[in-house]
Amino acid sequence: AVVSTQSTGEHLKEKGPFDGILGFSQGSCFAALLCSMKDIPNKPRFVILFGGYKSRITKHDKYYDGNILQTPSLHVYGMGDNVISPDMSEKLTTYFADPVI
């Protein structure tokens, strides 16, 4: 994740700002993580997360604990999803201020 966030941070700095980021499954997990990282330049103004979930890597807990993300967010998930359960997606919404579900 370190290389991914560094590379994405460089891209956002050089090519940004971007209006929003759309993520699906792992991409949603990564997009939410980007929103929570304070050192990422030119963060998006909103995120759309399909089948998103909170990163399960314990090193990432510091980005979520006690942190309510102010990035406007739309969360879409399937009640019948057998890979990313609705509970996982619903848990991610609790880290955003005023999530749209």
Side-chain angles (χ1 to χ4, degrees), residues 5 32-33 35 45-47 60 65 68 70-71 75 79-80 99-100:
T5 55
L33 188 62
C35 290
R45 294 187 327 183
F46 67 88
V47 291
H60 295 164
D65 292 342
I68 299 296
Q70 299 302 312
T71 306
H75 301 258
M79 296 305 290
V100 176

Side-chain angles (χ1 to χ4, degrees), residues 12 16-17 19 26 48 57-59 66 71 76 79 88 93 100:
L12 290 171
D19 289 329
Q26 268 186 309
I48 301 173
I57 298 173
T58 55
K59 288 181 182 179
T71 306
V76 180
M79 296 305 290
M88 292 171 71
T93 68
V100 176

Side-chain angles (χ1 to χ4, degrees), residues 39-94:
D39 58 342
I40 297 292
N42 292 329
K43 288 186 187 179
R45 294 187 327 183
F46 67 88
V47 291
I48 301 173
L49 308 173
F50 287 88
Y53 58 94
K54 176 185 174 283
S55 174
R56 294 176 280 189
I57 298 173
T58 55
K59 288 181 182 179
H60 295 164
D61 287 347
K62 65 183 176 185
Y63 298 113
Y64 295 98
D65 292 342
N67 189 15
I68 299 296
L69 306 177
Q70 299 302 312
T71 306
S73 60
L74 171 65
H75 301 258
V76 180
Y77 57 90
M79 296 305 290
D81 192 333
N82 294 322
V83 178
I84 306 301
S85 72
D87 289 343
M88 292 171 71
S89 291
E90 289 168 2
K91 172 122 175 115
L92 180 61
T93 68
T94 66

Side-chain angles (χ1 to χ4, degrees), residues 8-19:
T8 303
E10 289 171 13
H11 186 77
L12 290 171
K13 184 177 180 180
E14 293 172 12
K15 305 289 185 183
F18 294 91
D19 289 329

